[in-house]
Amino acid sequence: MSGDVAARATEGFRQRYAAEPAGHWAAPGRVNLIGEHTDYNDGFVLPFALPLRTVVAAAPGPDARWTVWSELDDAPVEFGAAEADEPGRVDGWAAYVAGVVWALRAAGLDVPGARLAIASDVPVGSGLSSSAAIEAAVLAALVDLGGLDLPADRWPRLAQRAENEYVGAPTGIMDQSVVVRGRAGHALFLDCRTEEVEQIPFDLDAAGLAVLVIDSRAPHRHADGEYAARRRSCERAAATLGVTALRDVPTDGLDAALARLDDDETRRRVRHVVTENQRVLDTVALLRADRVRETGPLLTASHASMRDDFEITVPEIDTAVEAALAAGAYGARMTGGGFGGCVLALVDADAAEKVAAAVTTAYADRGFTAPHTLTALPAPGVTRLP
Ligand code: GAF
């Protein structure tokens, strides 16, 4: 079992249901090394799964009824097929659970009734994808409990449908893909159009490096209007340019494409997506060549693009990036949907503390709430715990 978080899920299950769970399923949070707001443009991303996990303890329950307890909330949530079959009927954190039931049923699967207890070390609202972690852990639990015939390569799309159509957040496929398909010691190079993946070795320990993750503590809400507005603007631009998605604008065709767009804001949105896709490909090429430190400038360029062209950063985030770079990071960028969330910085392992301290000082100087920091090593995707 994965330490305390699994014990908390077990304890929650026992207290709530006065019974033993039939099993435990764990799914990670994630950070995205590079490739932001490219997934819903059919582009490229390079995330990795974190050691922080959400654990679901579960057992079969009455037919077509689900009871879910989470340590986020004292009261359990109970719903049946009628609520599961109507997007929006269950809300709050439990919507991610009901959404998975909905997506499985919509795919024609006979989802078993179940009782579930959820505990998590993935902080909520920090941009580390606590929602995809819940979705994947619940999905794995229901598939196993029901003996459902559903190969794991279909899980990311189903979990994404839960989030898009049941919860109503118009996110792409990145988070669900990496929490399902992540591998220890690797970053996941994903083509979001074809869903083809390549596991790229990302052995930070061997290189004497660390990825420092800095939780900006600025509230993160990617389900809100700004995320949806960026997505709409990209889709409109693709339609104007006569392409299926912005992925189809090649880097060497960027200037010509920009010349065909008539407002400056849309031009900047398109420039972010097209240059960001290229930065993912360049980062992958450097990692394949074992030139990890040299990816730093690409990470920093990605940040500048999110700040100036996509306009999704906030002062806390920019402060963290600047302070990390000034303290010697090879590169630093916001990771995730934006408007808060986390920054990641590529640093020498023995400099991680110094860089974290420099960010904390810069925050204090600006009067921001102190950041939280952790160092992140790529961990496995969703699993059933032994
Ligand atoms: C959020 C979304 F859920 C992802 O699909 C992705 O678009 C990301 O923001 C931005 O890259 O995490």
Side-chain angles (χ1 to χ4, degrees):
M1 288 209 187
S2 84
D4 288 351
V5 60
R8 298 200 313 265
T10 307
E11 196 45 40
F13 192 98
R14 285 184 184 139
Q15 283 194 1
R16 181 54 52 196
Y17 307 118
E20 286 299 307
H24 295 78
W25 292 262
R30 65 96 187 90
V31 287
N32 185 18
L33 190 57
I34 194 160
E36 225 62 83
H37 287 260
T38 46
D39 60 353
Y40 57 77
N41 288 297
D42 280 3
F44 305 107
V45 292
L46 190 62
F48 64 87
L50 291 171
L52 299 171
R53 308 212 132 213
T54 294
V55 173
V56 172
D63 273 355
R65 286 210 74 74
W66 296 271
T67 311
V68 199
W69 170 86
S70 151
E71 59 185 353
L72 290 176
D73 210 343
D74 275 349
V77 175
E78 197 182 342
F79 57 91
E83 293 97 326
D85 289 349
E86 198 184 315
R89 282 280 294 275
V90 178
D91 57 12
W93 60 266
Y96 296 95
V97 179
V100 168
V101 173
W102 170 83
L104 289 168
R105 286 169 65 88
L109 293 155
D110 186 13
V111 187
R115 295 187 293 190
L116 308 106
I118 304 175
S120 184
D121 283 341
V122 186
V124 173
S126 295
L128 299 179
S129 220
S130 58
S131 53
I134 291 194
E135 289 156 8
V138 168
L139 204 153
L142 294 175
V143 165
D144 277 359
L145 289 177
L148 306 183
D149 181 16
L150 188 71
D153 60 5
R154 287 186 57 202
W155 295 9
R157 278 285 172 217
L158 280 182
Q160 184 199 13
R161 284 199 73 196
E163 184 142 352
N164 290 174
E165 295 176 52
Y166 196 95
V167 179
T171 54
I173 189 74
M174 170 171 73
D175 300 346
Q176 292 80 6
S177 296
V178 66
V179 304
V180 171
R181 304 174 86 172
R183 188 185 288 176
H186 293 75
L188 185 84
F189 175 36
L190 171 69
D191 179 331
C192 299
R193 171 169 280 168
T194 63
E195 286 184 64
E196 254 179 85
V197 300
E198 184 184 338
Q199 301 285 352
I200 306 290
F202 191 49
D203 189 346
L204 291 162
D205 266 350
L209 289 167
V211 169
L212 179 68
V213 176
I214 303 151
D215 181 348
S216 71
R217 311 285 304 282
H220 163 93
R221 286 175 224 88
H222 67 56
D224 73 6
E226 293 290 348
Y227 182 97
R230 295 303 181 283
R231 184 167 183 160
R232 273 196 308 275
S233 158
C234 291
E235 286 165 357
R236 271 200 307 267
T240 306
L241 295 170
V243 292
T244 307
L246 292 182
R247 161 10 173 337
D248 299 308
V249 177
T251 306
D252 61 7
L254 176 59
D255 288 344
L258 295 182
R260 293 176 56 203
L261 298 167
D262 50 28
D263 77 285
D264 188 51
E265 183 181 288
T266 309
R267 278 197 289 270
R268 285 184 285 117
R269 304 295 188 251
V270 170
R271 186 167 57 201
H272 166 72
V273 173
V274 175
T275 59
E276 184 78 348
N277 272 326
Q278 187 61 49
R279 282 186 288 271
V280 176
L281 299 178
D282 294 345
T283 302
V284 168
L286 286 170
L287 293 185
R288 283 195 191 115
D290 212 14
R291 291 160 57 190
V292 187
R293 284 176 176 75
E294 290 169 63
T295 63
L298 292 166
L299 305 181
T300 306
S302 166
H303 186 76
S305 180
M306 290 190 285
R307 183 191 60 213
D308 302 337
D309 279 352
F310 222 59
E311 296 179 286
I312 53 173
T313 71
V314 294
E316 290 91 331
I317 289 278
D318 293 332
T319 299
V321 166
E322 282 155 27
L325 291 171
Y330 292 102
R333 62 183 289 278
M334 186 185 74
T335 179
F339 308 100
C342 287
V343 160
L344 62 78
L346 182 67
V347 297
D348 283 323
D350 57 13
E353 266 182 41
K354 184 186 84 181
V355 174
V359 174
T360 304
T361 303
Y363 256 56
D365 291 347
R366 302 280 304 263
F368 297 147
T369 307
H372 291 156
T373 58
L374 61 110
T375 50
L377 287 177
V382 63
T383 48
R384 180 172 187 162
L385 298 178

mmCIF file of all heavy atoms in Angstrom, residues 302-335:
data_model
loop_
_atom_site.group_PDB
_atom_site.id
_atom_site.type_symbol
_atom_site.label_atom_id
_atom_site.label_comp_id
_atom_site.label_asym_id
_atom_site.label_seq_id
_atom_site.Cartn_x
_atom_site.Cartn_y
_atom_site.Cartn_z
ATOM 1 N N SER A 302 8.790 28.893 -22.913
ATOM 2 C CA SER A 302 7.384 28.495 -22.792
ATOM 3 C C SER A 302 6.672 29.415 -21.802
ATOM 4 O O SER A 302 5.543 29.864 -22.032
ATOM 5 C CB SER A 302 7.305 27.034 -22.319
ATOM 6 O OG SER A 302 6.006 26.723 -21.895
ATOM 7 N N HIS A 303 7.357 29.728 -20.714
ATOM 8 C CA HIS A 303 6.735 30.617 -19.730
ATOM 9 C C HIS A 303 6.467 31.997 -20.326
ATOM 10 O O HIS A 303 5.367 32.559 -20.162
ATOM 11 C CB HIS A 303 7.583 30.749 -18.468
ATOM 12 C CG HIS A 303 6.860 31.535 -17.431
ATOM 13 N ND1 HIS A 303 5.830 31.002 -16.693
ATOM 14 C CD2 HIS A 303 6.928 32.843 -17.090
ATOM 15 C CE1 HIS A 303 5.309 31.939 -15.921
ATOM 16 N NE2 HIS A 303 5.966 33.070 -16.144
ATOM 17 N N ALA A 304 7.461 32.535 -21.012
ATOM 18 C CA ALA A 304 7.293 33.876 -21.599
ATOM 19 C C ALA A 304 6.111 33.875 -22.565
ATOM 20 O O ALA A 304 5.318 34.825 -22.611
ATOM 21 C CB ALA A 304 8.580 34.292 -22.308
ATOM 22 N N SER A 305 5.961 32.802 -23.303
ATOM 23 C CA SER A 305 4.871 32.689 -24.265
ATOM 24 C C SER A 305 3.509 32.626 -23.547
ATOM 25 O O SER A 305 2.530 33.246 -23.976
ATOM 26 C CB SER A 305 5.116 31.439 -25.116
ATOM 27 O OG SER A 305 4.113 31.262 -26.059
ATOM 28 N N MET A 306 3.450 31.910 -22.442
ATOM 29 C CA MET A 306 2.191 31.847 -21.676
ATOM 30 C C MET A 306 1.870 33.191 -21.031
ATOM 31 O O MET A 306 0.717 33.579 -20.908
ATOM 32 C CB MET A 306 2.293 30.771 -20.588
ATOM 33 C CG MET A 306 2.317 29.365 -21.147
ATOM 34 S SD MET A 306 2.159 28.126 -19.849
ATOM 35 C CE MET A 306 3.783 28.168 -19.120
ATOM 36 N N ARG A 307 2.940 33.883 -20.630
ATOM 37 C CA ARG A 307 2.742 35.180 -19.959
ATOM 38 C C ARG A 307 2.325 36.258 -20.972
ATOM 39 O O ARG A 307 1.350 36.979 -20.764
ATOM 40 C CB ARG A 307 4.059 35.570 -19.274
ATOM 41 C CG ARG A 307 4.014 36.860 -18.473
ATOM 42 C CD ARG A 307 5.416 37.277 -18.065
ATOM 43 N NE ARG A 307 6.236 37.478 -19.255
ATOM 44 C CZ ARG A 307 7.548 37.228 -19.347
ATOM 45 N NH1 ARG A 307 8.213 36.775 -18.309
ATOM 46 N NH2 ARG A 307 8.200 37.432 -20.477
ATOM 47 N N ASP A 308 3.045 36.322 -22.089
ATOM 48 C CA ASP A 308 2.869 37.466 -22.997
ATOM 49 C C ASP A 308 1.866 37.188 -24.118
ATOM 50 O O ASP A 308 1.146 38.097 -24.525
ATOM 51 C CB ASP A 308 4.214 37.844 -23.630
ATOM 52 C CG ASP A 308 5.256 38.179 -22.582
ATOM 53 O OD1 ASP A 308 4.859 38.551 -21.454
ATOM 54 O OD2 ASP A 308 6.458 38.050 -22.868
ATOM 55 N N ASP A 309 1.854 35.964 -24.621
ATOM 56 C CA ASP A 309 0.974 35.663 -25.763
ATOM 57 C C ASP A 309 -0.343 35.008 -25.345
ATOM 58 O O ASP A 309 -1.403 35.374 -25.834
ATOM 59 C CB ASP A 309 1.698 34.752 -26.762
ATOM 60 C CG ASP A 309 2.634 35.551 -27.666
ATOM 61 O OD1 ASP A 309 2.590 36.799 -27.614
ATOM 62 O OD2 ASP A 309 3.408 34.925 -28.422
ATOM 63 N N PHE A 310 -0.261 34.027 -24.462
ATOM 64 C CA PHE A 310 -1.505 33.346 -24.084
ATOM 65 C C PHE A 310 -2.180 34.036 -22.896
ATOM 66 O O PHE A 310 -3.357 33.817 -22.634
ATOM 67 C CB PHE A 310 -1.238 31.864 -23.812
ATOM 68 C CG PHE A 310 -2.298 30.954 -24.389
ATOM 69 C CD1 PHE A 310 -2.570 30.951 -25.743
ATOM 70 C CD2 PHE A 310 -3.032 30.109 -23.572
ATOM 71 C CE1 PHE A 310 -3.566 30.126 -26.284
ATOM 72 C CE2 PHE A 310 -4.021 29.283 -24.094
ATOM 73 C CZ PHE A 310 -4.290 29.301 -25.459
ATOM 74 N N GLU A 311 -1.377 34.820 -22.166
ATOM 75 C CA GLU A 311 -1.902 35.632 -21.045
ATOM 76 C C GLU A 311 -2.672 34.801 -20.024
ATOM 77 O O GLU A 311 -3.836 35.055 -19.744
ATOM 78 C CB GLU A 311 -2.751 36.788 -21.591
ATOM 79 C CG GLU A 311 -1.917 37.746 -22.417
ATOM 80 C CD GLU A 311 -2.719 38.896 -22.995
ATOM 81 O OE1 GLU A 311 -3.481 38.653 -23.964
ATOM 82 O OE2 GLU A 311 -2.587 40.016 -22.489
ATOM 83 N N ILE A 312 -1.954 33.817 -19.469
ATOM 84 C CA ILE A 312 -2.599 32.937 -18.479
ATOM 85 C C ILE A 312 -1.807 32.884 -17.173
ATOM 86 O O ILE A 312 -2.066 32.019 -16.342
ATOM 87 C CB ILE A 312 -2.796 31.502 -19.041
ATOM 88 C CG1 ILE A 312 -1.482 30.929 -19.569
ATOM 89 C CG2 ILE A 312 -3.869 31.490 -20.119
ATOM 90 C CD1 ILE A 312 -1.581 29.462 -19.980
ATOM 91 N N THR A 313 -0.823 33.763 -17.019
ATOM 92 C CA THR A 313 -0.084 33.729 -15.753
ATOM 93 C C THR A 313 -0.610 34.824 -14.825
ATOM 94 O O THR A 313 -1.396 35.675 -15.226
ATOM 95 C CB THR A 313 1.437 33.891 -15.979
ATOM 96 O OG1 THR A 313 1.715 35.235 -16.381
ATOM 97 C CG2 THR A 313 1.946 32.929 -17.032
ATOM 98 N N VAL A 314 -0.188 34.752 -13.563
ATOM 99 C CA VAL A 314 -0.592 35.755 -12.562
ATOM 100 C C VAL A 314 0.685 36.199 -11.841
ATOM 101 O O VAL A 314 1.728 35.550 -11.959
ATOM 102 C CB VAL A 314 -1.614 35.151 -11.558
ATOM 103 C CG1 VAL A 314 -2.923 34.815 -12.263
ATOM 104 C CG2 VAL A 314 -1.055 33.939 -10.838
ATOM 105 N N PRO A 315 0.639 37.312 -11.083
ATOM 106 C CA PRO A 315 1.869 37.854 -10.484
ATOM 107 C C PRO A 315 2.644 36.856 -9.609
ATOM 108 O O PRO A 315 3.879 36.811 -9.652
ATOM 109 C CB PRO A 315 1.370 39.036 -9.658
ATOM 110 C CG PRO A 315 0.121 39.474 -10.374
ATOM 111 C CD PRO A 315 -0.501 38.217 -10.900
ATOM 112 N N GLU A 316 1.933 36.043 -8.821
ATOM 113 C CA GLU A 316 2.643 35.074 -7.968
ATOM 114 C C GLU A 316 3.483 34.129 -8.831
ATOM 115 O O GLU A 316 4.625 33.791 -8.510
ATOM 116 C CB GLU A 316 1.651 34.223 -7.150
ATOM 117 C CG GLU A 316 0.926 34.974 -6.044
ATOM 118 C CD GLU A 316 -0.398 35.576 -6.518
ATOM 119 O OE1 GLU A 316 -0.526 35.915 -7.720
ATOM 120 O OE2 GLU A 316 -1.293 35.711 -5.665
ATOM 121 N N ILE A 317 2.876 33.676 -9.929
ATOM 122 C CA ILE A 317 3.526 32.715 -10.819
ATOM 123 C C ILE A 317 4.761 33.352 -11.478
ATOM 124 O O ILE A 317 5.842 32.748 -11.519
ATOM 125 C CB ILE A 317 2.498 32.270 -11.894
ATOM 126 C CG1 ILE A 317 1.413 31.383 -11.269
ATOM 127 C CG2 ILE A 317 3.166 31.621 -13.085
ATOM 128 C CD1 ILE A 317 1.784 29.942 -11.106
ATOM 129 N N ASP A 318 4.597 34.560 -11.991
ATOM 130 C CA ASP A 318 5.731 35.218 -12.647
ATOM 131 C C ASP A 318 6.859 35.486 -11.651
ATOM 132 O O ASP A 318 8.036 35.350 -11.968
ATOM 133 C CB ASP A 318 5.278 36.529 -13.306
ATOM 134 C CG ASP A 318 4.322 36.279 -14.473
ATOM 135 O OD1 ASP A 318 4.420 35.204 -15.099
ATOM 136 O OD2 ASP A 318 3.478 37.155 -14.750
ATOM 137 N N THR A 319 6.479 35.835 -10.429
ATOM 138 C CA THR A 319 7.483 36.072 -9.387
ATOM 139 C C THR A 319 8.267 34.790 -9.109
ATOM 140 O O THR A 319 9.499 34.806 -8.990
ATOM 141 C CB THR A 319 6.791 36.562 -8.088
ATOM 142 O OG1 THR A 319 6.135 37.786 -8.378
ATOM 143 C CG2 THR A 319 7.788 36.759 -6.963
ATOM 144 N N ALA A 320 7.560 33.672 -9.009
ATOM 145 C CA ALA A 320 8.233 32.391 -8.717
ATOM 146 C C ALA A 320 9.204 32.036 -9.841
ATOM 147 O O ALA A 320 10.333 31.598 -9.590
ATOM 148 C CB ALA A 320 7.201 31.286 -8.523
ATOM 149 N N VAL A 321 8.789 32.229 -11.082
ATOM 150 C CA VAL A 321 9.660 31.901 -12.222
ATOM 151 C C VAL A 321 10.907 32.792 -12.196
ATOM 152 O O VAL A 321 12.046 32.312 -12.295
ATOM 153 C CB VAL A 321 8.893 32.056 -13.557
ATOM 154 C CG1 VAL A 321 9.843 32.050 -14.751
ATOM 155 C CG2 VAL A 321 7.865 30.935 -13.696
ATOM 156 N N GLU A 322 10.689 34.088 -12.033
ATOM 157 C CA GLU A 322 11.841 35.008 -12.041
ATOM 158 C C GLU A 322 12.809 34.703 -10.909
ATOM 159 O O GLU A 322 14.030 34.689 -11.103
ATOM 160 C CB GLU A 322 11.345 36.461 -11.919
ATOM 161 C CG GLU A 322 10.792 37.001 -13.228
ATOM 162 C CD GLU A 322 9.778 38.122 -13.019
ATOM 163 O OE1 GLU A 322 9.868 38.831 -11.979
ATOM 164 O OE2 GLU A 322 8.881 38.276 -13.878
ATOM 165 N N ALA A 323 12.268 34.437 -9.715
ATOM 166 C CA ALA A 323 13.142 34.179 -8.568
ATOM 167 C C ALA A 323 13.906 32.866 -8.759
ATOM 168 O O ALA A 323 15.091 32.773 -8.423
ATOM 169 C CB ALA A 323 12.319 34.133 -7.286
ATOM 170 N N ALA A 324 13.240 31.855 -9.317
ATOM 171 C CA ALA A 324 13.918 30.566 -9.533
ATOM 172 C C ALA A 324 15.061 30.736 -10.538
ATOM 173 O O ALA A 324 16.165 30.214 -10.337
ATOM 174 C CB ALA A 324 12.915 29.523 -10.024
ATOM 175 N N LEU A 325 14.808 31.485 -11.595
ATOM 176 C CA LEU A 325 15.856 31.694 -12.613
ATOM 177 C C LEU A 325 17.016 32.490 -12.014
ATOM 178 O O LEU A 325 18.191 32.154 -12.220
ATOM 179 C CB LEU A 325 15.283 32.418 -13.832
ATOM 180 C CG LEU A 325 14.293 31.595 -14.671
ATOM 181 C CD1 LEU A 325 13.618 32.476 -15.724
ATOM 182 C CD2 LEU A 325 14.993 30.404 -15.338
ATOM 183 N N ALA A 326 16.686 33.525 -11.250
ATOM 184 C CA ALA A 326 17.744 34.356 -10.652
ATOM 185 C C ALA A 326 18.585 33.530 -9.680
ATOM 186 O O ALA A 326 19.770 33.809 -9.485
ATOM 187 C CB ALA A 326 17.120 35.552 -9.942
ATOM 188 N N ALA A 327 17.970 32.490 -9.078
ATOM 189 C CA ALA A 327 18.710 31.666 -8.108
ATOM 190 C C ALA A 327 19.429 30.500 -8.790
ATOM 191 O O ALA A 327 19.966 29.624 -8.119
ATOM 192 C CB ALA A 327 17.745 31.140 -7.041
ATOM 193 N N GLY A 328 19.435 30.470 -10.117
ATOM 194 C CA GLY A 328 20.277 29.484 -10.802
ATOM 195 C C GLY A 328 19.545 28.333 -11.477
ATOM 196 O O GLY A 328 20.200 27.408 -11.971
ATOM 197 N N ALA A 329 18.206 28.353 -11.520
ATOM 198 C CA ALA A 329 17.497 27.280 -12.235
ATOM 199 C C ALA A 329 17.891 27.305 -13.712
ATOM 200 O O ALA A 329 18.109 28.374 -14.288
ATOM 201 C CB ALA A 329 15.981 27.464 -12.091
ATOM 202 N N TYR A 330 17.954 26.137 -14.341
ATOM 203 C CA TYR A 330 18.270 26.068 -15.790
ATOM 204 C C TYR A 330 17.104 26.608 -16.614
ATOM 205 O O TYR A 330 17.286 27.125 -17.701
ATOM 206 C CB TYR A 330 18.566 24.629 -16.203
ATOM 207 C CG TYR A 330 19.848 24.122 -15.604
ATOM 208 C CD1 TYR A 330 19.834 23.263 -14.497
ATOM 209 C CD2 TYR A 330 21.079 24.532 -16.111
ATOM 210 C CE1 TYR A 330 21.007 22.821 -13.932
ATOM 211 C CE2 TYR A 330 22.266 24.096 -15.537
ATOM 212 C CZ TYR A 330 22.221 23.246 -14.454
ATOM 213 O OH TYR A 330 23.387 22.822 -13.883
ATOM 214 N N GLY A 331 15.890 26.421 -16.087
ATOM 215 C CA GLY A 331 14.706 26.917 -16.769
ATOM 216 C C GLY A 331 13.546 26.835 -15.795
ATOM 217 O O GLY A 331 13.600 26.078 -14.806
ATOM 218 N N ALA A 332 12.512 27.615 -16.025
ATOM 219 C CA ALA A 332 11.344 27.584 -15.130
ATOM 220 C C ALA A 332 10.126 28.032 -15.907
ATOM 221 O O ALA A 332 10.222 28.871 -16.807
ATOM 222 C CB ALA A 332 11.565 28.481 -13.916
ATOM 223 N N ARG A 333 8.988 27.458 -15.545
ATOM 224 C CA ARG A 333 7.744 27.816 -16.237
ATOM 225 C C ARG A 333 6.531 27.449 -15.387
ATOM 226 O O ARG A 333 6.607 26.553 -14.533
ATOM 227 C CB ARG A 333 7.630 27.092 -17.581
ATOM 228 C CG ARG A 333 7.580 25.575 -17.464
ATOM 229 C CD ARG A 333 7.536 24.895 -18.821
ATOM 230 N NE ARG A 333 6.274 25.078 -19.473
ATOM 231 C CZ ARG A 333 5.180 24.356 -19.248
ATOM 232 N NH1 ARG A 333 5.184 23.351 -18.370
ATOM 233 N NH2 ARG A 333 4.073 24.592 -19.887
ATOM 234 N N MET A 334 5.442 28.124 -15.640
ATOM 235 C CA MET A 334 4.183 27.682 -15.059
ATOM 236 C C MET A 334 3.822 26.344 -15.693
ATOM 237 O O MET A 334 4.129 26.100 -16.853
ATOM 238 C CB MET A 334 3.092 28.698 -15.351
ATOM 239 C CG MET A 334 1.782 28.377 -14.659
ATOM 240 S SD MET A 334 0.516 29.525 -15.171
ATOM 241 C CE MET A 334 0.188 28.926 -16.818
ATOM 242 N N THR A 335 3.191 25.464 -14.926
ATOM 243 C CA THR A 335 2.740 24.190 -15.462
ATOM 244 C C THR A 335 1.241 24.063 -15.203
ATOM 245 O O THR A 335 0.768 24.478 -14.145
ATOM 246 C CB THR A 335 3.526 23.014 -14.835
ATOM 247 O OG1 THR A 335 3.047 21.780 -15.368
ATOM 248 C CG2 THR A 335 3.442 22.982 -13.318
#
